[in-house]
Amino acid sequence: MNKMLQVKFSRTGGPEVMELLPLQLPQLQKDDVSVKIGAIGLNRFEALYRRNFYVIPPTLPSTMGVEAVGTVMELGSNVKGLSLGTRVTILPIASPVVGTGTYATHANVPASAIVPSIDGTTDIEEAAIWMASLQAFNLITKKRLGKGDAVLITAGTSSVGTALIQMARDMGVTVFATSRKSLRKSELLDRGADYAVATDDEDVVQIIDNITKGRGVSIAYDTVGGTVLAQCLASVSEGGSVFSYGAQSSTDFNAARADVPLGALDRRYLTFVDLFELIGTPDRFAAAKAYIPE
């Protein structure tokens, strides 16, 4: 077997605390799969975790990583439906680390975290698809949408924002998408948004009010937080919802707060959404795994 290596950190901090160390995988458990990793996904929450700014504090020394793509090297005795050498993707079924951690050349992970990789993708492309797409699917299926509805998606050029735009358009929904800078508005339109708004220069609430003739959007999906969250609430119609995730305006997730006028919640709903509620709901998780490769 090729020399095995793994990223670990023994103190919290920036990228400098990560060390590439020799790895000796433990004995494979009967429900696990051993994977030789070709590419990994990188996520903001992992950087927060490394700094102890995540909702789950690290137990030091800590491994890292919840998603990757690679090839099956060994199967636990209870694992069915996979073959040695098969190209597979490791999904983020647990937080903050899956199995022995995917920031590594090799990893042992639960078979429940494995799906066949999508035909025609490179390892790097595959590793970038699933985390964002699963969160987008989780968000966009929280409340039924259809033709005639309109949604607001903040940070539309982000990975989750892009996936949300594509899924919303697939449902026939009108999409308002935001980015901070005007120079990125064309990117939003290229990704499928009907309307692009640069929040540094434009008033998203007024623009939505004008275009929808005062109706507002049915749902807003916000990953920014801070003052943007209040703008999202002001943009949704009566009975509408704001689904918040990510809180990117805060460098420490534990310090993030929802600071909105109480009156803004009158006949409107604000919910924080985490990916792992999807993972914990078998029928929704199965639907996501079937939809995303399409």
Side-chain angles (χ1 to χ4, degrees):
M1 180 178 289
N2 295 333
K3 182 178 181 181
M4 294 187 291
L5 299 168
Q6 182 180 52
V7 171
K8 301 184 80 171
F9 63 98
S10 298
R11 57 191 176 93
T12 58
E16 71 279 358
V17 305
M18 294 188 292
E19 298 179 278
L20 187 61
L21 302 172
L23 167 65
Q24 180 63 54
L25 286 175
Q27 181 176 353
L28 192 67
Q29 299 299 302
K30 61 184 180 180
D31 294 315
D32 289 354
V33 178
S34 184
V35 178
K36 181 181 178 181
I37 293 173
I40 64 172
L42 300 175
N43 299 288
R44 176 175 178 264
F45 87 87
E46 290 160 343
L48 296 176
Y49 174 66
R50 177 174 23 86
R51 288 178 164 85
N52 195 21
F53 290 165
Y54 188 53
V55 290
I56 301 172
T59 300
L60 302 176
S62 179
T63 56
M64 296 186 70
V66 297
E67 58 176 341
V69 59
T71 54
V72 175
M73 301 295 291
E74 187 179 353
L75 299 170
S77 58
N78 283 354
V79 179
K80 309 298 180 186
L82 290 173
S83 302
L84 300 183
T86 301
R87 181 170 174 259
V88 295
T89 299
I90 300 169
L91 302 185
I93 65 164
S95 179
V97 178
V98 167
T100 58
T102 61
Y103 278 35
T105 59
H106 300 74
N108 289 352
V109 298
S112 57
I114 298 289
V115 293
S117 296
I118 301 169
D119 290 341
T121 62
T122 66
D123 285 358
I124 292 173
E125 289 169 339
E126 182 79 18
I129 289 171
W130 283 90
M131 184 81 164
S133 297
L134 286 169
Q135 178 65 301
F137 184 92
N138 184 36
L139 288 159
I140 209 150
T141 57
K142 291 285 291 180
K143 188 174 180 180
R144 185 180 296 277
L145 287 166
K147 291 183 178 179
D149 286 319
V151 300
L152 169 62
I153 298 168
T154 66
T157 57
S158 67
S159 55
V160 177
T162 297
L164 277 168
I165 291 170
Q166 294 169 347
M167 292 179 187
R169 289 303 304 270
D170 194 35
M171 296 176 176
V173 173
T174 298
V175 176
F176 293 85
T178 75
S179 186
R180 288 182 55 208
K181 303 296 184 182
S182 292
L183 58 84
R184 305 204 72 177
K185 289 173 65 173
S186 61
E187 292 181 50
L188 295 172
L189 298 173
D190 289 344
R191 296 177 194 205
D194 296 281
Y195 303 98
V197 185
T199 54
D200 278 359
D201 306 314
E202 298 175 298
D203 186 334
V204 63
V205 179
Q206 189 62 55
I207 288 171
I208 289 175
D209 187 71
N210 290 342
I211 292 174
T212 65
K213 295 181 170 51
R215 293 191 305 275
V217 297
S218 304
I219 300 175
Y221 304 100
D222 175 49
T223 188
V224 180
T227 58
V228 174
L229 189 60
Q231 293 170 11
C232 288
L233 277 165
S235 299
V236 298
S237 57
E238 288 190 7
S241 298
V242 175
F243 294 120
S244 173
Y245 68 102
Q248 291 184 13
S249 61
S250 176
T251 57
D252 182 348
F253 187 86
N254 293 308
R257 298 290 183 271
D259 184 9
V260 298
L262 186 60
L265 294 172
D266 183 28
R267 286 168 280 188
R268 291 165 178 83
Y269 303 90
L270 172 61
T271 305
F272 183 81
V273 179
D274 74 273
L275 169 64
F276 298 98
E277 68 170 291
L278 174 70
I279 308 301
T281 310
D283 57 339
R284 294 185 68 222
F285 191 31
K289 290 189 287 186
Y291 173 81
I292 289 167
E294 296 178 356

